[in-house]
Amino acid sequence: MNKTSEFLSTIFKVFLLLGLLFACNSKEEIIIDTFPPSENPEFLRGKWVEKESEEIIAFAGSNHIIEFTEDEFLLTFRYWTDAISPEDDCQNSYTAYFKGVASVEADSITLQGIATNESFEVTPAECDRYATFDETFKYEVVNDETLLLNPNQQVYLQILLEKEN
């Protein structure tokens, strides 16, 4: 092999090695980077807490606390049920935390996020059912402090959120 070939071979190996090094991201970075950047509308920014109707009798349900920042959401999702299933790894009561992006259309909000710990640091989900959160809700702004998700659904499927100050 002549010197030119050896030089080109060495250059190729160096670039290949550099390419491999820069291509290796942690799983956390890969997942978060797959979400498109967005900016949440001003009316949505802040902390929203679900208020349940006391008139509804339920044997299972969920509660939502959603905080919208300028470009992401943080969700505390509490699931509960009175039914117990031995095969269910999530037990009869479970709290999951998610972090991700929200896309707002004329009448819908899509939340796409990944599991986090309670400090909203990305971590593997403790329960397979709650590894990701990907939901689209129709919404209605009731007033500056009240947001209704799923307004056209039956009342027990609606999510009434009130803004905390």
Side-chain angles (χ1 to χ4, degrees), residues 4 20 22 28 30 32-33 42 50 54 56 88 110 113 125 127 140 157:
T4 304
L20 290 173
F22 287 113
E28 172 185 330
I30 292 170
I32 291 175
D33 289 346
E42 190 68 38
E50 182 175 357
E54 294 179 16
I56 298 174
D88 189 1
T110 300
C127 174
E140 178 181 305
L157 296 175

Side-chain angles (χ1 to χ4, degrees), residues 19-90:
L20 290 173
L21 287 174
F22 287 113
C24 294
N25 286 337
S26 71
K27 185 175 182 182
E28 172 185 330
E29 291 173 314
I30 292 170
I31 293 173
I32 291 175
D33 289 346
T34 60
F35 295 129
S38 65
E39 186 172 313
N40 293 323
E42 190 68 38
F43 82 88
L44 199 55
R45 295 180 195 167
K47 188 173 189 176
W48 297 84
V49 178
E50 182 175 357
K51 300 297 178 192
E52 290 187 6
S53 171
E54 294 179 16
E55 299 171 7
I56 298 174
I57 298 173
F59 298 101
S62 60
N63 303 98
H64 301 76
I65 299 173
I66 310 170
E67 184 172 351
F68 293 96
T69 64
E70 185 175 314
D71 59 355
E72 68 181 359
F73 77 88
L74 306 173
L75 168 66
T76 302
F77 177 82
R78 292 186 181 100
Y79 163 79
W80 57 270
T81 181
D82 292 336
I84 298 175
S85 171
E87 296 86 33
D88 189 1
D89 64 340
C90 300

Side-chain angles (χ1 to χ4, degrees), residues 133-145:
F133 190 88
D134 189 357
E135 294 285 333
T136 299
F137 302 97
K138 295 289 185 187
Y139 77 93
E140 178 181 305
V141 178
V142 177
N143 58 46
D144 290 346
E145 303 296 317

Side-chain angles (χ1 to χ4, degrees), residues 138-140 148-153 158:
K138 295 289 185 187
Y139 77 93
E140 178 181 305
L148 183 61
L149 303 182
N150 303 329
N152 300 326
Q153 297 285 335
Q158 295 177 355

